[in-house]
Amino acid sequence: MKKKHSKAQIDYLASREHFLQISNQADKRIAELKESGVEVGQAELEDIIERVGLHRAYNELTQAENVLINWTQTAIKTEPEFMQNRDNFEELYERVKTDAEARGAILNLAMRLNLELV
């Protein structure tokens, strides 16, 4: 049976893919400058980041992550595992704001969910 994704999951996947593409473009431009003998300093990096739109792509990815994280809080409330481990999950959600590992764990959980919630 094919997995159905929620809107939040689909938007996250699209934002992540877009960010990776933009990041690859920036890496290619840096490599091209280095190959042509240009020393890549702060000014050159900022110019590349601005031209490819890396900040915008990163902000869009972060926003999509936040929406996905919020969606999971609603999506898992009736799941038996959540109800049995409610305190652990709530602690994990609190840490998501300051702890990259906790954020990654929630995002990983979110992409494994196969719920028909929008």
Side-chain angles (χ1 to χ4, degrees), residues 19-82:
F19 176 77
L20 292 173
Q21 288 174 354
I22 295 297
S23 180
N24 286 336
Q25 286 179 14
D27 290 343
K28 285 179 186 176
R29 290 188 183 197
I30 291 168
E32 289 169 359
L33 283 178
K34 287 181 179 179
E35 287 174 10
S36 66
V38 174
E39 185 175 330
V40 180
Q42 185 69 28
E44 290 79 13
L45 286 176
E46 288 177 9
D47 183 54
I48 290 170
I49 288 169
E50 182 66 32
R51 287 178 186 262
V52 300
L54 190 61
H55 285 301
R56 185 176 60 251
Y58 176 77
N59 289 338
E60 290 169 0
L61 175 59
T62 301
Q63 183 177 2
E65 288 176 349
N66 291 339
V67 169
L68 184 60
I69 289 167
N70 290 337
W71 172 79
T72 64
Q73 286 182 296
T74 302
I76 67 172
K77 283 190 180 200
T78 59
E79 293 295 310
E81 188 174 342
F82 172 79

Side-chain angles (χ1 to χ4, degrees), residues 1-2 33 41 54 56 74 85 90 92 96 100 107:
M1 186 167 154
K2 188 174 179 181
L33 283 178
L54 190 61
R56 185 176 60 251
T74 302
N85 298 300
E90 288 178 358
L92 186 61
V96 84
L107 291 171

